[in-house]
Amino acid sequence: MDNPARNMALVPPPDRRQSETALAVARGTARLLRSLGFTCISELPLPSGRRADLVALNERGEIWIVEIKSSVEDLRADQKWHEYRAHCDRLFFAFTQDLPCEIFPEGTGLIIADAYGAHLHCEAPEHKLAAATRKQITVRFGMAAALRINRLVDPQGHAEFWE
């Protein structure tokens, strides 16, 4: 039987595609999310096969996805962001103050960030997930987080997940 946990990255491998800017925005955004009562996980594979930059979960079970954009070109090249709506209650873009807010799609939230923090510039509209989807994403979030922690605590005991 195929174990879905085997298909999840325990600790995301260094993604050399991400710029220093994107990494800084992710760090500052994660700090903002924590201050809002969310925990977040990066590079979470979604049931659709896409991988979300940041997925945040709070104690009420709300799920937010944040797509990180490091440049105008990064946004223009992204043809997949609209697919994330099916997996969250709110969808945000996070970016540096160097990018104009006007270039981002309507109906999404906006977060302006740097490596040290972030500001919720524009709240995202809510579109509640169906209960089954919420459960699926929540379980995926929990499994990925626990497996990543276990990998850090006992790297040799989880070597089979890397094969």
Side-chain angles (χ1 to χ4, degrees), residues 11 15 19 24 37 54 57 61 64 74 95 97 106 114 117 128 130 150 152 157 161:
V11 176
D15 187 347
S19 67
L54 290 176
L57 177 69
W64 292 5
D74 186 16
F95 52 95
Q97 65 182 0
E106 287 187 32
D114 62 21
K128 288 276 189 188
N150 290 333
L152 292 172
F161 286 106

Side-chain angles (χ1 to χ4, degrees), residues 23 31 49 53 55 60 67 75 91 93 95 102 123 152 157 159-160:
L23 293 171
R31 289 179 174 188
D53 291 337
V55 177
R60 292 185 309 273
E67 180 67 4
L75 177 64
L91 178 63
F93 283 96
F95 52 95
E102 298 77 33
E123 186 72 48
L152 292 172
E160 72 274 8

Side-chain angles (χ1 to χ4, degrees), residues 71-72 75-76 99-105:
S71 66
V72 173
L75 177 64
R76 287 186 182 146
L99 298 179
C101 295
E102 298 77 33
I103 68 171
F104 291 92

Side-chain angles (χ1 to χ4, degrees), residues 52-139:
D53 291 337
L54 290 176
V55 177
L57 177 69
N58 70 12
E59 65 183 17
R60 292 185 309 273
E62 293 175 302
I63 298 169
W64 292 5
I65 290 181
V66 180
E67 180 67 4
I68 306 222
K69 294 296 159 207
S70 59
S71 66
V72 173
E73 294 77 22
D74 186 16
L75 177 64
R76 287 186 182 146
D78 186 354
Q79 300 298 311
K80 65 190 181 327
W81 68 266
H82 61 280
E83 295 178 33
Y84 296 142
R85 283 192 195 276
H87 306 289
C88 62
D89 295 305
R90 295 179 193 262
L91 178 63
F92 293 84
F93 283 96
F95 52 95
T96 66
Q97 65 182 0
D98 299 332
L99 298 179
C101 295
E102 298 77 33
I103 68 171
F104 291 92
E106 287 187 32
T108 60
L110 302 178
I111 297 170
I112 300 172
D114 62 21
Y116 304 101
H119 167 71
L120 186 59
H121 181 73
C122 177
E123 186 72 48
E126 184 176 55
H127 44 276
K128 288 276 189 188
L129 285 175
T133 304
R134 182 176 312 287
K135 179 180 178 183
Q136 184 180 36
I137 300 299
T138 302
V139 167

